[in-house]
mmCIF file with all atom_site columns, all heavy atoms in Angstrom:
data_model
loop_
_atom_site.group_PDB
_atom_site.id
_atom_site.type_symbol
_atom_site.label_atom_id
_atom_site.label_alt_id
_atom_site.label_comp_id
_atom_site.label_asym_id
_atom_site.label_entity_id
_atom_site.label_seq_id
_atom_site.pdbx_PDB_ins_code
_atom_site.Cartn_x
_atom_site.Cartn_y
_atom_site.Cartn_z
_atom_site.occupancy
_atom_site.B_iso_or_equiv
_atom_site.pdbx_formal_charge
_atom_site.auth_seq_id
_atom_site.auth_comp_id
_atom_site.auth_asym_id
_atom_site.auth_atom_id
_atom_site.pdbx_PDB_model_num
ATOM 1  N N   . THR A 1 127 ? 186.643 165.605 148.809 1.00 96.00 ? 127 THR A N   1
ATOM 2  C CA  . THR A 1 127 ? 185.323 165.001 148.751 1.00 96.00 ? 127 THR A CA  1
ATOM 3  C C   . THR A 1 127 ? 184.312 166.062 148.329 1.00 96.00 ? 127 THR A C   1
ATOM 4  O O   . THR A 1 127 ? 184.602 167.257 148.320 1.00 96.00 ? 127 THR A O   1
ATOM 5  C CB  . THR A 1 127 ? 184.900 164.396 150.108 1.00 96.00 ? 127 THR A CB  1
ATOM 6  O OG1 . THR A 1 127 ? 184.850 165.432 151.100 1.00 96.00 ? 127 THR A OG1 1
ATOM 7  C CG2 . THR A 1 127 ? 185.878 163.316 150.557 1.00 96.00 ? 127 THR A CG2 1
ATOM 8  N N   . PHE A 1 128 ? 183.115 165.610 147.990 1.00 96.00 ? 128 PHE A N   1
ATOM 9  C CA  . PHE A 1 128 ? 182.089 166.492 147.450 1.00 96.00 ? 128 PHE A CA  1
ATOM 10 C C   . PHE A 1 128 ? 180.797 166.381 148.261 1.00 96.00 ? 128 PHE A C   1
ATOM 11 O O   . PHE A 1 128 ? 180.527 165.349 148.868 1.00 96.00 ? 128 PHE A O   1
ATOM 12 C CB  . PHE A 1 128 ? 181.781 166.116 145.998 1.00 96.00 ? 128 PHE A CB  1
ATOM 13 C CG  . PHE A 1 128 ? 182.929 166.330 145.052 1.00 96.00 ? 128 PHE A CG  1
ATOM 14 C CD1 . PHE A 1 128 ? 183.958 165.396 144.968 1.00 96.00 ? 128 PHE A CD1 1
ATOM 15 C CD2 . PHE A 1 128 ? 182.991 167.453 144.251 1.00 96.00 ? 128 PHE A CD2 1
ATOM 16 C CE1 . PHE A 1 128 ? 185.026 165.581 144.110 1.00 96.00 ? 128 PHE A CE1 1
ATOM 17 C CE2 . PHE A 1 128 ? 184.058 167.654 143.383 1.00 96.00 ? 128 PHE A CE2 1
ATOM 18 C CZ  . PHE A 1 128 ? 185.070 166.723 143.314 1.00 96.00 ? 128 PHE A CZ  1
ATOM 19 N N   . LYS A 1 129 ? 180.020 167.436 148.230 1.00 96.00 ? 129 LYS A N   1
ATOM 20 C CA  . LYS A 1 129 ? 178.685 167.399 148.833 1.00 96.00 ? 129 LYS A CA  1
ATOM 21 C C   . LYS A 1 129 ? 177.692 167.002 147.741 1.00 96.00 ? 129 LYS A C   1
ATOM 22 O O   . LYS A 1 129 ? 176.879 167.799 147.269 1.00 96.00 ? 129 LYS A O   1
ATOM 23 C CB  . LYS A 1 129 ? 178.339 168.754 149.453 1.00 96.00 ? 129 LYS A CB  1
ATOM 24 C CG  . LYS A 1 129 ? 179.186 169.098 150.669 1.00 96.00 ? 129 LYS A CG  1
ATOM 25 C CD  . LYS A 1 129 ? 178.727 170.399 151.311 1.00 96.00 ? 129 LYS A CD  1
ATOM 26 C CE  . LYS A 1 129 ? 179.558 170.700 152.565 1.00 96.00 ? 129 LYS A CE  1
ATOM 27 N NZ  . LYS A 1 129 ? 179.149 171.983 153.201 1.00 96.00 ? 129 LYS A NZ  1
ATOM 28 N N   . GLU A 1 130 ? 177.773 165.734 147.350 1.00 96.00 ? 130 GLU A N   1
ATOM 29 C CA  . GLU A 1 130 ? 176.907 165.231 146.281 1.00 96.00 ? 130 GLU A CA  1
ATOM 30 C C   . GLU A 1 130 ? 175.435 165.384 146.628 1.00 96.00 ? 130 GLU A C   1
ATOM 31 O O   . GLU A 1 130 ? 174.589 165.519 145.740 1.00 96.00 ? 130 GLU A O   1
ATOM 32 C CB  . GLU A 1 130 ? 177.202 163.754 146.001 1.00 96.00 ? 130 GLU A CB  1
ATOM 33 C CG  . GLU A 1 130 ? 178.582 163.482 145.448 1.00 96.00 ? 130 GLU A CG  1
ATOM 34 C CD  . GLU A 1 130 ? 179.620 163.233 146.534 1.00 96.00 ? 130 GLU A CD  1
ATOM 35 O OE1 . GLU A 1 130 ? 179.305 163.413 147.729 1.00 96.00 ? 130 GLU A OE1 1
ATOM 36 O OE2 . GLU A 1 130 ? 180.753 162.855 146.177 1.00 96.00 ? 130 GLU A OE2 1
ATOM 37 N N   . ASN A 1 131 ? 175.135 165.364 147.935 1.00 97.00 ? 131 ASN A N   1
ATOM 38 C CA  . ASN A 1 131 ? 173.741 165.506 148.350 1.00 97.00 ? 131 ASN A CA  1
ATOM 39 C C   . ASN A 1 131 ? 173.167 166.856 147.947 1.00 97.00 ? 131 ASN A C   1
ATOM 40 O O   . ASN A 1 131 ? 171.979 166.970 147.635 1.00 97.00 ? 131 ASN A O   1
ATOM 41 C CB  . ASN A 1 131 ? 173.605 165.281 149.854 1.00 97.00 ? 131 ASN A CB  1
ATOM 42 C CG  . ASN A 1 131 ? 174.562 166.120 150.680 1.00 97.00 ? 131 ASN A CG  1
ATOM 43 O OD1 . ASN A 1 131 ? 175.671 166.451 150.235 1.00 97.00 ? 131 ASN A OD1 1
ATOM 44 N ND2 . ASN A 1 131 ? 174.174 166.469 151.891 1.00 97.00 ? 131 ASN A ND2 1
ATOM 45 N N   . GLU A 1 132 ? 174.005 167.901 147.907 1.00 97.00 ? 132 GLU A N   1
ATOM 46 C CA  . GLU A 1 132 ? 173.512 169.229 147.536 1.00 97.00 ? 132 GLU A CA  1
ATOM 47 C C   . GLU A 1 132 ? 173.169 169.292 146.050 1.00 97.00 ? 132 GLU A C   1
ATOM 48 O O   . GLU A 1 132 ? 172.118 169.819 145.670 1.00 97.00 ? 132 GLU A O   1
ATOM 49 C CB  . GLU A 1 132 ? 174.554 170.294 147.886 1.00 97.00 ? 132 GLU A CB  1
ATOM 50 C CG  . GLU A 1 132 ? 174.760 170.457 149.383 1.00 97.00 ? 132 GLU A CG  1
ATOM 51 C CD  . GLU A 1 132 ? 175.744 171.559 149.736 1.00 97.00 ? 132 GLU A CD  1
ATOM 52 O OE1 . GLU A 1 132 ? 176.430 172.088 148.829 1.00 97.00 ? 132 GLU A OE1 1
ATOM 53 O OE2 . GLU A 1 132 ? 175.838 171.899 150.922 1.00 97.00 ? 132 GLU A OE2 1
#
Side-chain angles (χ1 to χ4, degrees):
T127 61
F128 295 80
K129 292 185 178 179
E130 295 90 352
N131 52 330
E132 293 183 350

